[in-house]
Amino acid sequence: MTFRWLTVFLDFPAAGFGPGIAFWRAATGYGLSPFRGPGGEFATLLPPSGDAYLRVQRVLAGDGGYHLDLHVDTAGWALQALDEAAGLALALGATVRHREAGEVIVADSPGGFTFCLVRWEGERAVPAPQAVDGRGVSRVDTLCLDIPPELFASESAFWAALTGQAPQAAPVPGFAYLTGPAGTGMPVRLLLQRREEAAPGQRVRGHIDLGCTDRDAAVAWHVDHGARVTGMFEYWTVLTDPAGHEYCLVGRPPWK
C-alpha cells in the first residue's frame, strides 16, 4: 500500500464559501473547476501548470477548517487497496467515519484530525510557485498539524507510521517534519507542531503554510485582499483569511 499524492481541502461554512474561494484563487493564481457533488459543494483549485492539490468544500455544520486526502495507489484494485489503507489506519488508532466503496474512506486520526483515503489518479507534477504582486514567489507547500501537548508523541507516531515517513526535528523547537522516501514528489509536506497549551479535550487541528521568497510583500498583498494579521514571529506571520481560516506566510523558498 503506497500513498502517491496529497490533497489539502479548505473546508468553508456556507457563508464563507464564496469569499474563501475568491480569496484563495487570487492568493494562489489558480483557476477553478466546475462545482460538483449533490449540492455543488466541491471544487478544485487548478494551477497554471502541474497537478491539482488544493480543493474546496462547503460544509453544512461548524466553522470549517482543513482536512487532508491521502491518495492510495490502487493499481486497479480500488476497493482492496483502500480497505488495506483503512485497516492500517485503524490498527494505528484511527476511527473510520464513512465509507463509499472503492471511492473514499473518511477517518479521524487518534487526536481527531479528519483525513480521507482516496484513489490516486496519476497526479505527480508539483505546481511551480507563483509571483506575488511581481515581488517574490509563494506556494501553499505545507499542512501543519497543531497538536495539543499531551497528544504530540502519539499523534506524531500515528502519522509517521501511516505515511511511512520519519519525524525529523525542525530548526524551531516544538516542530517536526515528516520526511523520507514516501514523501518524495508530494505537493505538500506534513509539519507537526506541539502547541504550548490546549483546552481539555481539544482535538488536533490544522493550518496551511505558504513558503514566500518575499514575506513582507506577501503579507502586504494578503492584507490588501482581505486577510488579517493575527501574529508576527521571526520566521513567519500568522493571518486569517476572509472566511476565518488561519494560515501562515513563512519567509523561505517554497518547498519542492
Side-chain angles (χ1 to χ4, degrees):
M1 186 269 296
T2 304
F3 296 115
R4 300 295 296 272
W5 195 251
L6 299 176
T7 292
V8 176
F9 260 90
L10 288 72
D11 300 324
F12 298 109
F17 192 52
I21 290 174
F23 176 82
W24 284 105
R25 284 193 64 188
T28 58
Y30 290 3
L32 185 68
S33 74
F35 291 98
R36 58 188 181 275
E41 66 270 35
F42 299 103
T44 301
L45 298 181
L46 302 173
S49 63
D51 291 315
Y53 70 104
L54 299 175
R55 295 181 181 176
V56 296
Q57 176 182 6
R58 183 179 64 249
V59 297
L60 298 178
D63 297 328
Y66 301 94
H67 78 264
L68 178 68
D69 279 10
L70 295 93
H71 297 238
V72 181
D73 190 347
T74 60
W77 300 92
L79 181 60
Q80 179 179 340
L82 290 180
D83 282 345
E84 179 184 347
L88 174 60
L90 285 168
L92 294 171
T95 302
V96 170
R97 297 170 49 190
H98 177 74
R99 292 176 183 260
E100 293 181 16
E103 295 293 335
V104 61
I105 296 174
V106 183
D108 286 342
S109 74
F113 187 78
T114 299
F115 66 96
C116 298
L117 303 169
V118 300
R119 294 185 298 175
W120 178 56
E121 302 290 351
E123 301 95 337
R124 65 180 74 248
V126 176
Q130 299 294 307
V132 178
D133 197 24
R135 294 176 292 175
V137 297
S138 70
R139 188 175 73 82
V140 176
D141 63 1
T142 301
L143 175 67
C144 181
L145 300 183
D146 305 315
I147 306 172
E150 69 276 10
L151 300 178
F152 187 77
S154 59
E155 191 76 2
S156 298
F158 170 82
W159 287 103
L162 181 64
T163 63
Q165 300 182 51
Q168 177 177 328
V172 179
F175 292 83
Y177 286 109
L178 294 184
T179 62
T184 303
M186 295 292 185
V188 291
R189 56 184 170 183
L190 297 181
L191 176 65
L192 309 170
Q193 177 183 5
R194 180 191 290 110
R195 298 178 58 191
E196 294 184 0
E197 59 183 18
Q202 177 71 59
R203 295 159 57 98
V204 176
R205 59 193 187 199
H207 71 268
I208 54 174
D209 290 350
L210 291 80
C212 306
T213 56
D214 188 335
R215 179 164 54 125
D216 290 342
V219 170
W221 187 97
H222 281 242
V223 170
D224 286 346
H225 287 75
R228 180 170 55 91
V229 172
T230 59
M232 298 188 69
F233 300 86
E234 182 177 1
Y235 300 110
W236 67 87
T237 302
V238 184
L239 301 98
T240 301
D241 73 12
H245 286 55
E246 185 174 272
Y247 65 99
C248 293
L249 298 176
V250 185
R252 55 167 171 72
W255 182 67
K256 299 179 180 179

